[in-house]
Amino acid sequence: MAAKKHPIFDTATTLGKIVAFLGVSSICGVLVAGLMVPAVALAGGTASSSIDFFDDLPDEMSIGEPAQSSKMLASDGSVLATFYDQNRTEVPLDNISDYMKDAIISVEDARYYEHGGIDARGLIRAATSMARGGARQGASTITQQYVNNVIIQTFAANGELDKVKQGADKGVGDKVREIKLAIAVDKKYSKDEILQGYLNWVFFANNNYGIESASNFYFGAHANDLNLPQAALLAGVVNRPSYYDPVANPENALSRRNMVLDHMLDQGKIDKKQHADAVAADIGLNIQSNQLGCTTAVRAEYFCEYVSNLFVNDPAYGKTKEDRQKLLLQGGLTINTTLDAGLQDAAQAQLANFTPMDNNPDKVGQSLVTVQPGSGKILSMAQNTKLAAPEGQWRTDYNFNVDGADANGNPLGGSAGFDVGSTIKPFTFAEWLNSGHRINDTVNAAVRRYPASHNWTNSCGVTGGIYDSSNPEATEDLQNAGDTNYKSVTAREGLYNSLNTATFATAAQLDMCNIQKMMTATGIHLGKDPNEPYNVDYVSSLLGSGEVAPLTMASAFATFASGGVHCDPIALVSITNAKGDKWPVPGANCNQTVKPEVAAGVNSVLQEVLTQGSGYQVGLQYPAAAKTGTTNDSQHTWTIGYTRGLATASWLGSPEDKNESNNGKLIAGQRIDYVDGATYAGRAWQGYMNQIAGFFDVGGFDAPPASMVNPPVVIPPKPADDKDNNKDNNKDKDKDNKDKDKKD
């Protein structure tokens, strides 16, 4: 009696076609790859057509670098923020737990180290099931899954996921193509290389790609620290990431984990005790939420945003913004920054003493920013808002500390600066010294009337303005704070007491163009456009009616602290990827832009601001120099000061409606009638600098040459008695009196 035929070989024609195709497959190195093709797909065809079909498939694929997360780091190596499209950190196989390697092989490809990229037994089982009309069974090896992941995720990284077929959408040709590619990959790479690639590419749900990211997300651990139940749990996820998601479906995940453990026991990877203990273990999740972008930064979110904008705006990192954004999100970059985590935390804590984020109903803006003299490094950048604040809490996208745009017009996310008030006065004084005048030369600060006909010298433009109460268009003469001190004083006294009339008296003897050049030499420019120098077309600008960003002002004052060496503020130290490739970062361009003796002269007088001048209440325990500033109606208040090692700008004001007064607003738990530069901005500067300055250079400043002083300056010590003793004589000394005439 003839033997009964196997159901798959129910006709001689079908049998012949399959046998012919098997022969072709063996020639190609795929003994049974053709079994993945259902019999119906070969109906009407020939063996030669199958040969042509298979031979025409590509047998090589380029496996590039997977999309990897980029990290932005503070100067101590701590992570500020992470950026990614696919949250992935690639690790070598040696840095992956042996439990994880055994678990994934046990459940996904038990004969991984025995086959050549495809598993013949699995293919025959799957083909038999299909020929019988059963459901399509999985037969993918780890190598095939690796190929599939590379194809899908490469398209996804390029924004072309619609071009690749997945799951049930795959046709026979797609599957056979993957088989041939798997064979080619197995020939080209070692088993360990393929396993390493697979574990770094595969998806583990919750936007975690690769075992290192998954280990951190689910357990707060590195991949090499995974224990047995943790490894088995993650190995179970890859089959159906959504269904076996340990967060969304913990029961499914546990059931799958225990099945993985069963496989490991059956295959001799673990013993019975290990199996029993692991099965008895609870799921043990320790979720570490993925941090994406600057809104979830550990600290300094506005600094993070500033650095991100610097990167995306810079052609050094790609031809287009899209290219640079892709590099940031997929390039696996390590972005080392200048930020000092300790200083940043101290600055942020100091702001909370005055305008806490959870109790700031009047939306008073406040910021602190510090640069290092002589290097330009931005060490801290704090403000009293968040990019993503809780409901009911004030939030803003604007960085109070930086320009609105860079030199090419690319946005930096800044508020574009604020009126700087009397903090601009030291630059007129610097030009006073630079042009040959002396610190103690006398000027007539009694002059209050500057009519429209006054001839202000300006060799590169025209400067005008009216301070003349006899002119109906002006309404008033020039005023000092407290409406006092209209007398002859030294230029030195005029600066440390912040006398408007003294500033005008010195400027009247100078070229306004040269005053502007002095400002430019220290890096001062308008916050709306760094290509625009501080505008001296109106004489009121000498009293601070120009909007400059706090970072720019801190950098300008740092020029004096460093003996006249100006450095552009920098935020980047280095940018590398996982392979060690390096990208260029902007330099600080440090140059001697102010004469050392001029810087010394300015330093000598600004020290007196903190001992007997407008900032006498906010001095430091270290040698320091500073200038306070207050605009009309206290819309913006400042203290900008420095030691030899640090320069900090402290600002408190109105960032949204820049003309809104801060008098009477809730600040530091109180409402007072008048707020000046020393009141809150000065106290924040003082508290912060006293806390952190000692970690940097706090040596004394160089004295100016005797020929610049005449007679020598003797800086009296800070009064030991109660600070309020001189209150009546010193309060409001830095209050600015800008020209009220809008035509000026």
Side-chain angles (χ1 to χ4, degrees):
M1 183 176 178
K4 187 177 180 179
K5 293 182 179 179
H6 193 285
I8 194 173
F9 301 137
D10 55 352
T11 66
T13 302
T14 302
L15 176 61
K17 290 179 180 179
I18 293 176
V19 171
F21 190 68
L22 284 172
V24 174
S25 298
S26 64
I27 295 172
C28 298
V30 191
L31 180 62
V32 291
L35 289 177
M36 288 302 298
V37 185
V40 67
L42 296 173
T46 64
S48 61
S49 68
S50 298
I51 294 171
D52 293 340
F53 166 73
F54 198 84
D55 282 347
D56 288 342
L57 291 175
D59 60 1
E60 291 186 9
M61 67 178 293
S62 174
I63 300 178
E65 296 293 327
Q68 294 191 65
S69 307
S70 294
K71 296 184 185 300
M72 185 183 296
L73 309 180
S75 59
D76 62 358
S78 60
V79 176
L80 296 177
T82 306
F83 306 86
Y84 55 82
D85 278 338
Q86 300 172 356
N87 184 29
R88 176 188 286 110
T89 300
E90 197 170 18
V91 290
L93 195 63
D94 288 344
N95 287 358
I96 300 174
S97 164
D98 288 339
Y99 288 128
M100 187 66 216
K101 289 178 270 191
D102 289 342
I104 201 71
I105 290 172
S106 295
V107 72
E108 291 295 326
D109 192 354
R111 290 179 289 275
Y112 175 68
Y113 282 102
E114 300 170 14
H115 60 65
I118 62 167
D119 186 352
R121 295 185 202 174
L123 286 172
I124 291 172
R125 183 186 68 249
T128 301
S129 175
M130 287 188 294
R132 287 173 171 169
R136 178 171 293 189
Q137 295 185 6
S140 293
T141 64
I142 282 177
T143 309
Q144 289 172 263
Q145 293 181 49
Y146 179 37
V147 167
N148 189 48
N149 273 281
V150 170
I151 293 172
I152 292 173
Q153 293 178 34
T154 299
F155 276 100
N158 292 324
E160 300 174 331
L161 193 57
D162 58 324
K163 294 184 179 180
V164 63
K165 295 179 181 178
Q166 301 185 58
D169 292 334
K170 290 181 182 179
V172 172
D174 300 307
K175 193 66 180 178
V176 175
R177 175 174 178 265
E178 287 178 13
I179 291 172
K180 189 170 184 182
L181 289 173
I183 295 167
V185 167
D186 192 83
K187 289 180 179 180
K188 184 174 182 179
Y189 300 99
S190 71
K191 289 290 186 180
D192 282 354
E193 287 174 325
I194 294 169
L195 183 60
Q196 173 180 298
Y198 173 77
L199 286 171
N200 278 301
W201 280 80
V202 72
F203 181 51
F204 288 91
N206 294 296
N207 206 17
N208 296 294
Y209 292 82
I211 188 59
E212 179 70 10
S213 294
S215 301
N216 180 71
F217 177 82
Y218 292 110
F219 302 113
H222 291 294
N224 62 347
D225 295 326
L226 291 173
N227 61 31
L228 176 57
Q230 291 171 340
L233 185 79
L234 295 184
V237 172
V238 301
N239 179 264
R240 293 173 64 187
S242 296
Y243 186 76
Y244 295 120
D245 177 354
V247 177
N249 300 301
E251 292 182 0
N252 296 348
L254 274 175
S255 175
R256 178 74 176 177
R257 180 199 72 178
N258 293 342
M259 188 204 76
V260 173
L261 291 168
D262 291 344
H263 280 285
M264 295 180 75
L265 178 62
D266 293 342
Q267 295 169 33
K269 304 294 185 183
I270 56 176
D271 60 32
K272 291 183 178 180
K273 184 179 186 310
Q274 288 175 302
H275 176 269
D277 291 345
V279 169
D282 62 25
I283 196 166
L285 297 180
N286 179 22
I287 300 298
Q288 307 295 310
S289 298
N290 289 330
Q291 306 297 308
L292 174 59
C294 296
T295 56
T296 61
V298 175
R299 56 171 59 85
E301 57 200 78
Y302 291 95
F303 174 82
C304 171
E305 194 80 358
Y306 174 67
V307 173
S308 300
N309 286 326
L310 291 178
F311 183 92
V312 173
N313 291 341
D314 194 334
Y317 309 121
K319 290 184 178 179
T320 66
K321 282 195 173 183
E322 290 74 20
D323 292 337
R324 298 164 213 153
Q325 190 72 26
K326 181 178 178 181
L327 179 61
L328 178 63
L329 296 177
Q330 302 179 14
L333 304 177
T334 298
I335 302 171
N336 289 290
T337 74
T338 59
L339 190 89
D340 184 302
L343 268 65
Q344 179 67 27
D345 291 348
Q348 202 66 58
Q350 191 62 227
L351 298 181
N353 294 330
F354 300 93
T355 53
M357 295 183 193
D358 60 354
N359 187 24
N360 188 13
D362 297 326
K363 295 185 178 180
V364 178
Q366 191 175 10
S367 72
L368 284 164
V369 61
T370 299
V371 299
Q372 185 177 45
S375 76
K377 291 181 179 179
I378 303 169
L379 302 181
S380 70
M381 183 181 288
Q383 68 185 64
N384 66 329
T385 61
K386 294 185 71 66
L387 287 169
E391 186 176 353
Q393 186 171 302
W394 183 30
R395 64 164 299 279
T396 180
D397 293 331
Y398 289 110
N399 185 333
F400 298 157
N401 284 302
V402 304
D403 293 336
D406 65 17
N408 296 313
N410 299 305
L412 288 175
S415 294
F418 310 103
D419 283 353
V420 293
S422 292
T423 62
I424 204 68
K425 291 176 180 176
F427 303 94
T428 297
F429 183 76
E431 179 52 34
W432 173 262
L433 301 180
N434 189 59
S435 64
H437 296 281
R438 291 171 297 189
I439 291 172
N440 284 323
D441 283 349
T442 300
V443 295
N444 186 2
V447 177
R448 300 181 58 195
R449 186 167 294 177
Y450 290 88
S453 60
H454 184 86
N455 183 24
W456 296 96
T457 302
N458 188 339
S459 61
C460 56
V462 176
T463 298
I466 307 172
Y467 288 88
D468 183 358
S469 59
S470 67
N471 187 328
E473 295 184 3
T475 72
E476 66 180 14
D477 297 332
L478 183 63
Q479 291 182 325
N480 290 326
D483 205 20
T484 60
N485 289 309
Y486 302 118
K487 60 184 180 180
S488 291
V489 297
T490 63
R492 163 176 154 258
E493 292 173 306
L495 179 57
Y496 73 66
N497 278 325
S498 198
L499 303 179
N500 294 338
T501 54
T503 298
F504 272 40
T506 55
Q509 301 180 52
L510 302 174
D511 185 339
M512 295 290 286
C513 183
N514 289 337
I515 295 175
Q516 184 185 64
K517 288 178 180 178
M518 176 60 69
M519 295 173 180
T520 301
T522 63
I524 291 178
H525 55 261
L526 295 183
K528 66 179 181 180
D529 183 356
N531 296 306
E532 286 192 35
Y534 191 86
N535 190 348
V536 295
D537 291 349
Y538 303 103
V539 70
S540 61
S541 65
L542 299 182
L543 305 180
S545 61
E547 294 186 343
V548 183
L551 175 60
T552 302
M553 293 303 291
S555 177
F557 276 66
T559 304
F560 298 136
S562 61
V565 175
H566 174 69
C567 301
D568 296 335
I570 58 171
L572 291 167
V573 175
S574 66
I575 301 175
T576 58
N577 64 12
K579 295 190 295 184
D581 298 329
K582 296 182 179 181
W583 280 263
V585 295
N589 303 313
C590 297
N591 289 290
Q592 187 83 46
T593 59
V594 176
K595 296 174 183 176
E597 60 270 24
V598 170
V602 173
N603 294 340
S604 71
V605 179
L606 293 188
Q607 289 179 82
E608 294 185 85
V609 170
L610 298 175
T611 58
Q612 59 180 335
S614 59
Y616 79 96
Q617 312 102 314
V618 295
L620 303 186
Q621 57 186 304
Y622 310 106
K627 184 68 190 77
T628 58
T630 312
T631 64
N632 284 343
D633 298 322
S634 304
Q635 299 104 326
H636 304 284
T637 66
W638 301 75
T639 293
I640 307 173
Y642 50 93
T643 59
R644 287 176 64 100
L646 297 174
T648 297
S650 176
W651 166 85
L652 181 146
S654 301
E656 294 186 339
D657 180 355
K658 294 183 178 181
N659 292 317
E660 185 177 341
S661 173
N662 286 283
N663 296 328
K665 289 188 175 181
L666 182 65
I667 306 170
Q670 62 183 346
R671 298 179 185 274
I672 61 176
D673 293 337
Y674 178 68
V675 177
D676 66 18
T679 310
Y680 297 122
R683 285 168 54 194
W685 177 86
Q686 179 188 46
Y688 168 68
M689 290 289 281
N690 268 332
Q691 182 179 351
I692 53 89
F695 295 102
F696 297 81
D697 186 355
V698 289
F701 295 101
D702 294 339
S707 59
M708 181 179 282
V709 180
N710 187 38
V713 176
V714 178
I715 301 176
K718 186 175 180 179
D721 56 344
D722 188 273
K723 67 179 181 181
D724 291 330
N725 288 347
N726 294 326
K727 184 175 181 181
D728 291 339
N729 294 325
N730 289 282
K731 70 175 182 178
D732 302 349
K733 282 183 177 179
D734 68 314
K735 183 180 180 183
D736 302 319
N737 290 276
K738 297 186 298 180
D739 192 347
K740 301 292 199 309
D741 186 351
K742 301 303 180 183
K743 295 181 180 179
D744 183 17

